[in-house]
Amino acid sequence: MDVLVLIGRVLFVLLFLNSAVGHLTQTRALAGYAQSKGVPAPVAATAGSGVLILVGAVSVLLGVWADLGALLLAVFLFPTALLMHAFWKESDPQARQTESVNFLKAISLGGAALMLLAFFSYAGHDLGLTLTGPLFHIR
């Protein structure tokens, strides 16, 4: 089971690591998009979310308080779904469909992150191939 969980952790964070790199290397461009969506302080929000995603993804990947890392990813995903992918605000059918897919993807990944939070917290030190045990202890 340990190897399967490790493979799952690696595959789960690939999207987030890629996104974090984009947020941190293309901050101005992504901030312009965030601004068009009404995000306040878009440059700071883009850079801050990049750091949040990076810390969360690396935590899950390495198994360093992986439960906290999963929580950080959920904290990023749910507001992102609501702010950046508000499909209900789109009048163009193609834009509405695109934002709907991205909204559902973010909500689904947020749900998966919450399940990982529970899983890592519950499994505790019994889960191998991690550098630390969980920060939280859910029973």
Side-chain angles (χ1 to χ4, degrees), residues 63-94:
V64 176
W65 289 341
D67 54 342
L68 176 61
L71 178 61
L72 294 176
L73 294 174
V75 164
F76 165 75
L77 287 161
F78 292 119
T80 296
L82 295 171
L83 292 172
M84 300 300 293
H85 304 299
F87 65 92
W88 54 91
K89 293 181 180 179
E90 298 294 338
S91 57
D92 176 63
Q94 186 172 1

PDB file of all heavy atoms in Angstrom, residues 63-94:
ATOM      1  N   GLY A  63       5.714  14.040   1.751  1.00  0.00           N
ATOM      2  CA  GLY A  63       5.177  13.458   2.973  1.00  0.00           C
ATOM      3  C   GLY A  63       5.670  14.172   4.207  1.00  0.00           C
ATOM      4  O   GLY A  63       5.940  13.557   5.230  1.00  0.00           O
ATOM      5  N   VAL A  64       5.798  15.483   4.110  1.00  0.00           N
ATOM      6  CA  VAL A  64       6.157  16.313   5.256  1.00  0.00           C
ATOM      7  C   VAL A  64       4.885  17.021   5.680  1.00  0.00           C
ATOM      8  O   VAL A  64       4.436  17.954   5.014  1.00  0.00           O
ATOM      9  CB  VAL A  64       7.253  17.339   4.893  1.00  0.00           C
ATOM     10  CG1 VAL A  64       7.543  18.242   6.075  1.00  0.00           C
ATOM     11  CG2 VAL A  64       8.513  16.637   4.420  1.00  0.00           C
ATOM     12  N   TRP A  65       4.266  16.518   6.748  1.00  0.00           N
ATOM     13  CA  TRP A  65       2.957  17.008   7.154  1.00  0.00           C
ATOM     14  C   TRP A  65       2.036  17.045   5.935  1.00  0.00           C
ATOM     15  O   TRP A  65       1.438  18.060   5.593  1.00  0.00           O
ATOM     16  CB  TRP A  65       3.033  18.373   7.810  1.00  0.00           C
ATOM     17  CG  TRP A  65       3.656  18.400   9.165  1.00  0.00           C
ATOM     18  CD1 TRP A  65       3.829  17.353  10.026  1.00  0.00           C
ATOM     19  CD2 TRP A  65       4.197  19.540   9.834  1.00  0.00           C
ATOM     20  NE1 TRP A  65       4.433  17.761  11.176  1.00  0.00           N
ATOM     21  CE2 TRP A  65       4.670  19.109  11.098  1.00  0.00           C
ATOM     22  CE3 TRP A  65       4.314  20.875   9.505  1.00  0.00           C
ATOM     23  CZ2 TRP A  65       5.246  19.963  12.005  1.00  0.00           C
ATOM     24  CZ3 TRP A  65       4.894  21.738  10.412  1.00  0.00           C
ATOM     25  CH2 TRP A  65       5.354  21.284  11.647  1.00  0.00           C
ATOM     26  N   ALA A  66       1.923  15.908   5.284  1.00  0.00           N
ATOM     27  CA  ALA A  66       1.136  15.805   4.056  1.00  0.00           C
ATOM     28  C   ALA A  66      -0.322  16.187   4.280  1.00  0.00           C
ATOM     29  O   ALA A  66      -0.980  16.689   3.364  1.00  0.00           O
ATOM     30  CB  ALA A  66       1.235  14.388   3.496  1.00  0.00           C
ATOM     31  N   ASP A  67      -0.820  16.000   5.490  1.00  0.00           N
ATOM     32  CA  ASP A  67      -2.195  16.414   5.787  1.00  0.00           C
ATOM     33  C   ASP A  67      -2.333  17.927   5.693  1.00  0.00           C
ATOM     34  O   ASP A  67      -3.296  18.442   5.120  1.00  0.00           O
ATOM     35  CB  ASP A  67      -2.648  15.887   7.149  1.00  0.00           C
ATOM     36  CG  ASP A  67      -1.724  16.257   8.304  1.00  0.00           C
ATOM     37  OD1 ASP A  67      -0.548  16.628   8.075  1.00  0.00           O
ATOM     38  OD2 ASP A  67      -2.174  16.155   9.463  1.00  0.00           O
ATOM     39  N   LEU A  68      -1.365  18.652   6.213  1.00  0.00           N
ATOM     40  CA  LEU A  68      -1.371  20.113   6.107  1.00  0.00           C
ATOM     41  C   LEU A  68      -1.244  20.534   4.645  1.00  0.00           C
ATOM     42  O   LEU A  68      -1.931  21.452   4.199  1.00  0.00           O
ATOM     43  CB  LEU A  68      -0.249  20.726   6.939  1.00  0.00           C
ATOM     44  CG  LEU A  68      -0.094  22.249   6.835  1.00  0.00           C
ATOM     45  CD1 LEU A  68      -1.348  22.954   7.319  1.00  0.00           C
ATOM     46  CD2 LEU A  68       1.131  22.707   7.608  1.00  0.00           C
ATOM     47  N   GLY A  69      -0.381  19.862   3.896  1.00  0.00           N
ATOM     48  CA  GLY A  69      -0.235  20.179   2.481  1.00  0.00           C
ATOM     49  C   GLY A  69      -1.536  19.997   1.729  1.00  0.00           C
ATOM     50  O   GLY A  69      -1.912  20.833   0.896  1.00  0.00           O
ATOM     51  N   ALA A  70      -2.254  18.921   2.020  1.00  0.00           N
ATOM     52  CA  ALA A  70      -3.548  18.686   1.377  1.00  0.00           C
ATOM     53  C   ALA A  70      -4.542  19.782   1.754  1.00  0.00           C
ATOM     54  O   ALA A  70      -5.311  20.257   0.907  1.00  0.00           O
ATOM     55  CB  ALA A  70      -4.077  17.313   1.766  1.00  0.00           C
ATOM     56  N   LEU A  71      -4.513  20.209   3.013  1.00  0.00           N
ATOM     57  CA  LEU A  71      -5.385  21.301   3.449  1.00  0.00           C
ATOM     58  C   LEU A  71      -5.049  22.592   2.700  1.00  0.00           C
ATOM     59  O   LEU A  71      -5.945  23.318   2.262  1.00  0.00           O
ATOM     60  CB  LEU A  71      -5.275  21.500   4.959  1.00  0.00           C
ATOM     61  CG  LEU A  71      -6.091  22.653   5.548  1.00  0.00           C
ATOM     62  CD1 LEU A  71      -7.581  22.451   5.295  1.00  0.00           C
ATOM     63  CD2 LEU A  71      -5.800  22.793   7.039  1.00  0.00           C
ATOM     64  N   LEU A  72      -3.764  22.890   2.541  1.00  0.00           N
ATOM     65  CA  LEU A  72      -3.368  24.097   1.805  1.00  0.00           C
ATOM     66  C   LEU A  72      -3.865  24.057   0.363  1.00  0.00           C
ATOM     67  O   LEU A  72      -4.317  25.088  -0.168  1.00  0.00           O
ATOM     68  CB  LEU A  72      -1.845  24.264   1.833  1.00  0.00           C
ATOM     69  CG  LEU A  72      -1.219  24.541   3.194  1.00  0.00           C
ATOM     70  CD1 LEU A  72       0.301  24.586   3.087  1.00  0.00           C
ATOM     71  CD2 LEU A  72      -1.768  25.824   3.800  1.00  0.00           C
ATOM     72  N   LEU A  73      -3.799  22.902  -0.262  1.00  0.00           N
ATOM     73  CA  LEU A  73      -4.301  22.781  -1.630  1.00  0.00           C
ATOM     74  C   LEU A  73      -5.809  23.005  -1.674  1.00  0.00           C
ATOM     75  O   LEU A  73      -6.323  23.679  -2.581  1.00  0.00           O
ATOM     76  CB  LEU A  73      -3.920  21.429  -2.227  1.00  0.00           C
ATOM     77  CG  LEU A  73      -2.413  21.228  -2.442  1.00  0.00           C
ATOM     78  CD1 LEU A  73      -2.122  19.807  -2.909  1.00  0.00           C
ATOM     79  CD2 LEU A  73      -1.848  22.252  -3.425  1.00  0.00           C
ATOM     80  N   ALA A  74      -6.537  22.474  -0.704  1.00  0.00           N
ATOM     81  CA  ALA A  74      -7.986  22.700  -0.643  1.00  0.00           C
ATOM     82  C   ALA A  74      -8.286  24.186  -0.423  1.00  0.00           C
ATOM     83  O   ALA A  74      -9.207  24.736  -1.048  1.00  0.00           O
ATOM     84  CB  ALA A  74      -8.613  21.853   0.465  1.00  0.00           C
ATOM     85  N   VAL A  75      -7.505  24.830   0.427  1.00  0.00           N
ATOM     86  CA  VAL A  75      -7.682  26.261   0.690  1.00  0.00           C
ATOM     87  C   VAL A  75      -7.472  27.077  -0.591  1.00  0.00           C
ATOM     88  O   VAL A  75      -8.121  28.097  -0.803  1.00  0.00           O
ATOM     89  CB  VAL A  75      -6.732  26.732   1.818  1.00  0.00           C
ATOM     90  CG1 VAL A  75      -6.592  28.238   1.869  1.00  0.00           C
ATOM     91  CG2 VAL A  75      -7.199  26.173   3.148  1.00  0.00           C
ATOM     92  N   PHE A  76      -6.602  26.619  -1.466  1.00  0.00           N
ATOM     93  CA  PHE A  76      -6.412  27.269  -2.764  1.00  0.00           C
ATOM     94  C   PHE A  76      -7.569  26.955  -3.704  1.00  0.00           C
ATOM     95  O   PHE A  76      -8.094  27.834  -4.395  1.00  0.00           O
ATOM     96  CB  PHE A  76      -5.088  26.822  -3.389  1.00  0.00           C
ATOM     97  CG  PHE A  76      -4.993  27.142  -4.848  1.00  0.00           C
ATOM     98  CD1 PHE A  76      -4.757  28.436  -5.280  1.00  0.00           C
ATOM     99  CD2 PHE A  76      -5.165  26.152  -5.798  1.00  0.00           C
ATOM    100  CE1 PHE A  76      -4.693  28.737  -6.637  1.00  0.00           C
ATOM    101  CE2 PHE A  76      -5.105  26.443  -7.156  1.00  0.00           C
ATOM    102  CZ  PHE A  76      -4.868  27.741  -7.576  1.00  0.00           C
ATOM    103  N   LEU A  77      -7.972  25.699  -3.770  1.00  0.00           N
ATOM    104  CA  LEU A  77      -8.895  25.248  -4.811  1.00  0.00           C
ATOM    105  C   LEU A  77     -10.314  25.796  -4.684  1.00  0.00           C
ATOM    106  O   LEU A  77     -10.911  26.194  -5.696  1.00  0.00           O
ATOM    107  CB  LEU A  77      -8.929  23.718  -4.846  1.00  0.00           C
ATOM    108  CG  LEU A  77      -7.685  23.083  -5.447  1.00  0.00           C
ATOM    109  CD1 LEU A  77      -7.571  21.622  -5.032  1.00  0.00           C
ATOM    110  CD2 LEU A  77      -7.693  23.228  -6.957  1.00  0.00           C
ATOM    111  N   PHE A  78     -10.885  25.812  -3.502  1.00  0.00           N
ATOM    112  CA  PHE A  78     -12.282  26.217  -3.377  1.00  0.00           C
ATOM    113  C   PHE A  78     -12.497  27.702  -3.710  1.00  0.00           C
ATOM    114  O   PHE A  78     -13.383  28.023  -4.515  1.00  0.00           O
ATOM    115  CB  PHE A  78     -12.850  25.832  -2.016  1.00  0.00           C
ATOM    116  CG  PHE A  78     -12.972  24.336  -1.842  1.00  0.00           C
ATOM    117  CD1 PHE A  78     -12.284  23.675  -0.846  1.00  0.00           C
ATOM    118  CD2 PHE A  78     -13.760  23.580  -2.703  1.00  0.00           C
ATOM    119  CE1 PHE A  78     -12.392  22.300  -0.694  1.00  0.00           C
ATOM    120  CE2 PHE A  78     -13.866  22.199  -2.573  1.00  0.00           C
ATOM    121  CZ  PHE A  78     -13.186  21.558  -1.562  1.00  0.00           C
ATOM    122  N   PRO A  79     -11.695  28.624  -3.175  1.00  0.00           N
ATOM    123  CA  PRO A  79     -11.863  30.022  -3.598  1.00  0.00           C
ATOM    124  C   PRO A  79     -11.543  30.237  -5.088  1.00  0.00           C
ATOM    125  O   PRO A  79     -12.193  31.044  -5.752  1.00  0.00           O
ATOM    126  CB  PRO A  79     -10.874  30.795  -2.719  1.00  0.00           C
ATOM    127  CG  PRO A  79     -10.628  29.920  -1.556  1.00  0.00           C
ATOM    128  CD  PRO A  79     -10.751  28.513  -2.057  1.00  0.00           C
ATOM    129  N   THR A  80     -10.569  29.485  -5.586  1.00  0.00           N
ATOM    130  CA  THR A  80     -10.231  29.603  -7.007  1.00  0.00           C
ATOM    131  C   THR A  80     -11.420  29.206  -7.874  1.00  0.00           C
ATOM    132  O   THR A  80     -11.720  29.867  -8.872  1.00  0.00           O
ATOM    133  CB  THR A  80      -9.007  28.733  -7.349  1.00  0.00           C
ATOM    134  OG1 THR A  80      -7.887  29.234  -6.623  1.00  0.00           O
ATOM    135  CG2 THR A  80      -8.701  28.752  -8.828  1.00  0.00           C
ATOM    136  N   ALA A  81     -12.091  28.140  -7.504  1.00  0.00           N
ATOM    137  CA  ALA A  81     -13.270  27.711  -8.262  1.00  0.00           C
ATOM    138  C   ALA A  81     -14.310  28.825  -8.297  1.00  0.00           C
ATOM    139  O   ALA A  81     -14.855  29.143  -9.361  1.00  0.00           O
ATOM    140  CB  ALA A  81     -13.863  26.443  -7.644  1.00  0.00           C
ATOM    141  N   LEU A  82     -14.565  29.435  -7.163  1.00  0.00           N
ATOM    142  CA  LEU A  82     -15.591  30.477  -7.081  1.00  0.00           C
ATOM    143  C   LEU A  82     -15.183  31.787  -7.745  1.00  0.00           C
ATOM    144  O   LEU A  82     -16.002  32.421  -8.417  1.00  0.00           O
ATOM    145  CB  LEU A  82     -15.948  30.730  -5.612  1.00  0.00           C
ATOM    146  CG  LEU A  82     -16.611  29.558  -4.889  1.00  0.00           C
ATOM    147  CD1 LEU A  82     -16.718  29.834  -3.405  1.00  0.00           C
ATOM    148  CD2 LEU A  82     -17.973  29.267  -5.497  1.00  0.00           C
ATOM    149  N   LEU A  83     -13.946  32.191  -7.572  1.00  0.00           N
ATOM    150  CA  LEU A  83     -13.499  33.486  -8.110  1.00  0.00           C
ATOM    151  C   LEU A  83     -13.097  33.429  -9.578  1.00  0.00           C
ATOM    152  O   LEU A  83     -13.424  34.333 -10.347  1.00  0.00           O
ATOM    153  CB  LEU A  83     -12.316  34.021  -7.293  1.00  0.00           C
ATOM    154  CG  LEU A  83     -12.601  34.447  -5.865  1.00  0.00           C
ATOM    155  CD1 LEU A  83     -11.304  34.763  -5.141  1.00  0.00           C
ATOM    156  CD2 LEU A  83     -13.530  35.647  -5.846  1.00  0.00           C
ATOM    157  N   MET A  84     -12.386  32.395  -9.945  1.00  0.00           N
ATOM    158  CA  MET A  84     -11.790  32.348 -11.286  1.00  0.00           C
ATOM    159  C   MET A  84     -12.640  31.592 -12.302  1.00  0.00           C
ATOM    160  O   MET A  84     -12.450  31.761 -13.501  1.00  0.00           O
ATOM    161  CB  MET A  84     -10.395  31.704 -11.213  1.00  0.00           C
ATOM    162  CG  MET A  84      -9.421  32.445 -10.322  1.00  0.00           C
ATOM    163  SD  MET A  84      -9.121  34.140 -10.846  1.00  0.00           S
ATOM    164  CE  MET A  84      -8.273  33.869 -12.378  1.00  0.00           C
ATOM    165  N   HIS A  85     -13.536  30.747 -11.842  1.00  0.00           N
ATOM    166  CA  HIS A  85     -14.293  29.901 -12.773  1.00  0.00           C
ATOM    167  C   HIS A  85     -15.800  30.016 -12.546  1.00  0.00           C
ATOM    168  O   HIS A  85     -16.520  29.026 -12.551  1.00  0.00           O
ATOM    169  CB  HIS A  85     -13.826  28.452 -12.663  1.00  0.00           C
ATOM    170  CG  HIS A  85     -12.357  28.307 -12.889  1.00  0.00           C
ATOM    171  ND1 HIS A  85     -11.759  28.669 -14.071  1.00  0.00           N
ATOM    172  CD2 HIS A  85     -11.364  27.878 -12.073  1.00  0.00           C
ATOM    173  CE1 HIS A  85     -10.458  28.453 -13.976  1.00  0.00           C
ATOM    174  NE2 HIS A  85     -10.190  27.985 -12.773  1.00  0.00           N
ATOM    175  N   ALA A  86     -16.261  31.250 -12.363  1.00  0.00           N
ATOM    176  CA  ALA A  86     -17.677  31.518 -12.105  1.00  0.00           C
ATOM    177  C   ALA A  86     -18.463  31.385 -13.409  1.00  0.00           C
ATOM    178  O   ALA A  86     -18.838  32.370 -14.038  1.00  0.00           O
ATOM    179  CB  ALA A  86     -17.842  32.900 -11.487  1.00  0.00           C
ATOM    180  N   PHE A  87     -18.728  30.155 -13.802  1.00  0.00           N
ATOM    181  CA  PHE A  87     -19.388  29.881 -15.083  1.00  0.00           C
ATOM    182  C   PHE A  87     -20.773  30.535 -15.167  1.00  0.00           C
ATOM    183  O   PHE A  87     -21.237  30.868 -16.250  1.00  0.00           O
ATOM    184  CB  PHE A  87     -19.499  28.374 -15.325  1.00  0.00           C
ATOM    185  CG  PHE A  87     -20.377  27.647 -14.352  1.00  0.00           C
ATOM    186  CD1 PHE A  87     -21.719  27.460 -14.616  1.00  0.00           C
ATOM    187  CD2 PHE A  87     -19.849  27.147 -13.167  1.00  0.00           C
ATOM    188  CE1 PHE A  87     -22.531  26.782 -13.722  1.00  0.00           C
ATOM    189  CE2 PHE A  87     -20.657  26.470 -12.267  1.00  0.00           C
ATOM    190  CZ  PHE A  87     -22.002  26.291 -12.541  1.00  0.00           C
ATOM    191  N   TRP A  88     -21.434  30.735 -14.036  1.00  0.00           N
ATOM    192  CA  TRP A  88     -22.765  31.313 -14.002  1.00  0.00           C
ATOM    193  C   TRP A  88     -22.768  32.786 -14.425  1.00  0.00           C
ATOM    194  O   TRP A  88     -23.821  33.327 -14.738  1.00  0.00           O
ATOM    195  CB  TRP A  88     -23.384  31.153 -12.616  1.00  0.00           C
ATOM    196  CG  TRP A  88     -22.505  31.692 -11.517  1.00  0.00           C
ATOM    197  CD1 TRP A  88     -22.513  32.951 -11.008  1.00  0.00           C
ATOM    198  CD2 TRP A  88     -21.502  30.969 -10.810  1.00  0.00           C
ATOM    199  NE1 TRP A  88     -21.559  33.070 -10.024  1.00  0.00           N
ATOM    200  CE2 TRP A  88     -20.922  31.858  -9.881  1.00  0.00           C
ATOM    201  CE3 TRP A  88     -21.028  29.653 -10.877  1.00  0.00           C
ATOM    202  CZ2 TRP A  88     -19.895  31.473  -9.027  1.00  0.00           C
ATOM    203  CZ3 TRP A  88     -20.010  29.288 -10.018  1.00  0.00           C
ATOM    204  CH2 TRP A  88     -19.457  30.180  -9.097  1.00  0.00           C
ATOM    205  N   LYS A  89     -21.582  33.406 -14.477  1.00  0.00           N
ATOM    206  CA  LYS A  89     -21.479  34.804 -14.909  1.00  0.00           C
ATOM    207  C   LYS A  89     -21.258  34.941 -16.412  1.00  0.00           C
ATOM    208  O   LYS A  89     -21.319  36.032 -16.941  1.00  0.00           O
ATOM    209  CB  LYS A  89     -20.329  35.493 -14.174  1.00  0.00           C
ATOM    210  CG  LYS A  89     -20.542  35.651 -12.689  1.00  0.00           C
ATOM    211  CD  LYS A  89     -19.359  36.366 -12.069  1.00  0.00           C
ATOM    212  CE  LYS A  89     -19.538  36.551 -10.577  1.00  0.00           C
ATOM    213  NZ  LYS A  89     -18.373  37.223  -9.968  1.00  0.00           N
ATOM    214  N   GLU A  90     -20.975  33.843 -17.074  1.00  0.00           N
ATOM    215  CA  GLU A  90     -20.655  33.868 -18.509  1.00  0.00           C
ATOM    216  C   GLU A  90     -21.926  33.836 -19.354  1.00  0.00           C
ATOM    217  O   GLU A  90     -22.827  33.046 -19.093  1.00  0.00           O
ATOM    218  CB  GLU A  90     -19.767  32.677 -18.878  1.00  0.00           C
ATOM    219  CG  GLU A  90     -18.424  32.643 -18.186  1.00  0.00           C
ATOM    220  CD  GLU A  90     -17.508  33.781 -18.603  1.00  0.00           C
ATOM    221  OE1 GLU A  90     -17.704  34.347 -19.698  1.00  0.00           O
ATOM    222  OE2 GLU A  90     -16.598  34.102 -17.825  1.00  0.00           O
ATOM    223  N   SER A  91     -21.956  34.699 -20.369  1.00  0.00           N
ATOM    224  CA  SER A  91     -23.103  34.699 -21.280  1.00  0.00           C
ATOM    225  C   SER A  91     -22.807  33.916 -22.557  1.00  0.00           C
ATOM    226  O   SER A  91     -23.722  33.351 -23.159  1.00  0.00           O
ATOM    227  CB  SER A  91     -23.509  36.136 -21.619  1.00  0.00           C
ATOM    228  OG  SER A  91     -22.412  36.832 -22.183  1.00  0.00           O
ATOM    229  N   ASP A  92     -21.550  33.869 -22.953  1.00  0.00           N
ATOM    230  CA  ASP A  92     -21.166  33.107 -24.140  1.00  0.00           C
ATOM    231  C   ASP A  92     -21.215  31.611 -23.802  1.00  0.00           C
ATOM    232  O   ASP A  92     -20.584  31.178 -22.831  1.00  0.00           O
ATOM    233  CB  ASP A  92     -19.755  33.502 -24.581  1.00  0.00           C
ATOM    234  CG  ASP A  92     -19.261  32.673 -25.748  1.00  0.00           C
ATOM    235  OD1 ASP A  92     -19.877  32.753 -26.827  1.00  0.00           O
ATOM    236  OD2 ASP A  92     -18.270  31.929 -25.562  1.00  0.00           O
ATOM    237  N   PRO A  93     -21.946  30.813 -24.602  1.00  0.00           N
ATOM    238  CA  PRO A  93     -22.074  29.384 -24.278  1.00  0.00           C
ATOM    239  C   PRO A  93     -20.746  28.636 -24.219  1.00  0.00           C
ATOM    240  O   PRO A  93     -20.561  27.774 -23.349  1.00  0.00           O
ATOM    241  CB  PRO A  93     -22.952  28.838 -25.414  1.00  0.00           C
ATOM    242  CG  PRO A  93     -23.676  30.013 -25.951  1.00  0.00           C
ATOM    243  CD  PRO A  93     -22.769  31.192 -25.746  1.00  0.00           C
ATOM    244  N   GLN A  94     -19.803  28.954 -25.103  1.00  0.00           N
ATOM    245  CA  GLN A  94     -18.519  28.257 -25.082  1.00  0.00           C
ATOM    246  C   GLN A  94     -17.713  28.643 -23.843  1.00  0.00           C
ATOM    247  O   GLN A  94     -17.113  27.785 -23.192  1.00  0.00           O
ATOM    248  CB  GLN A  94     -17.722  28.556 -26.348  1.00  0.00           C
ATOM    249  CG  GLN A  94     -16.446  27.747 -26.429  1.00  0.00           C
ATOM    250  CD  GLN A  94     -15.744  27.896 -27.765  1.00  0.00           C
ATOM    251  OE1 GLN A  94     -16.200  28.618 -28.646  1.00  0.00           O
ATOM    252  NE2 GLN A  94     -14.633  27.209 -27.919  1.00  0.00           N
TER     253      GLN A  94
END
